[in-house]
Amino acid sequence: MTISILSAWVFTIDFEGNMLKFTLSLLLSLFSLSLHANAIIDLNEGLTLAQIENGGQLNTLAVVEDEGRAIKGINLSEVTDVAGDIVSTYQRLGYEKIADIVLANRASLTNRYPYSQLLSPAGTGRHHIALGLNYPEHADEVEADRRPFLFLKTTRATREQSITTGDTILLDYEIEVCARPLQDIDADDRPASLVFGFFICGDFTDRAALMRGIDLDNMQSGRGFSVAKSREGFFPTGPYLVIPKDREAFLTTTSFSLYRGNALKQASSTANMIWSLDTIVDEIFTAQRSKRPTHSSKSKQWLNDDKITTDMVVLTGTPDGVIMRPPSFGFKFASGIGYLFKGGIFDMSLRDYVVRSYIKDLFSQGIFLQGGERVVAAGDFMGRIDMQVVVE
């Protein structure tokens, strides 16, 4: 996936001595879906690590090239006899040693590994922390305040498996940049410089379940989000982990996008996040200390042992372009009339009646992801995720 953005340009025309200022603002974003090689971050700017299973053990690969559906890399576990997942391998070898190994061996010890062999860079944890409304345009499109909030995503990350929908699911996509800490983070004793690895990820949602559980008067409570976003398979991830040398520079220049079929639906940069990664970390500890409700059916605590651990992932939020939109005033007004004249008052609250009516209307429109569709997500230096939607 290659992403390029053409900036606005201005013409000034001088006509018969009178300055006729003609300003043409052309904000043209060219996003091309490429099936060929994905760029890898330059070794001077960061490391790219992937994970495979080899002989019953986890091996870490230093990625030197991405061909599109396969990578070329050096098996660090074979070169150094250090087996284990990405985080433990990084902790034992360190940034500089891995970079030196790549420089010394990229010409002689590089092998080819298909995408299908690569494991998720998120690890095997099932307790992750996600962000809602962390991009201003996304808050605007769902008619919410530009105030981010946290929720738990309690499901295991996967790679490129199919995304499952069904007759009772309104399946919506979201692309995000995920951050995995490479050391445990304690509220009272944080490392001087937190090191994170980054990868592209999807945060899929059953909007029908979300609408049934959401607090319409206080979306920032997070009520309903964990349940609607924690189904198995709703957390697909990219092929590898990027560890930038300069985290802030990486997060101010990294773009990402999502296609539904051939149509570009989401595109943004992490520079547009409302909360920075450091602020997100602060907010996580604030939520833990204040015992803020998680509204999760699987965990009542934001953190285990009061730490952000290396088997947890932070989903940093999605930009605008999702399928879901709130009901219009006209729809709510018509539903209210129906509520009165159809005797709904005897069966349920007005709020529940409107929500049920809107869910039924959305199913009839058929605008959410359907079986047979293809969704592709990609990010600068983070590769891509190619997903098919199937009906369970």
Side-chain angles (χ1 to χ4, degrees), residues 195-224:
V195 181
F196 285 86
F198 299 92
F199 56 92
I200 205 72
C201 61
D203 179 24
F204 284 77
T205 311
D206 177 2
R207 296 293 185 184
L210 178 58
M211 282 188 287
R212 294 187 188 103
I214 197 171
D215 182 349
L216 294 175
D217 296 322
N218 182 16
M219 187 182 298
Q220 278 77 6
S221 71
R223 187 184 299 274

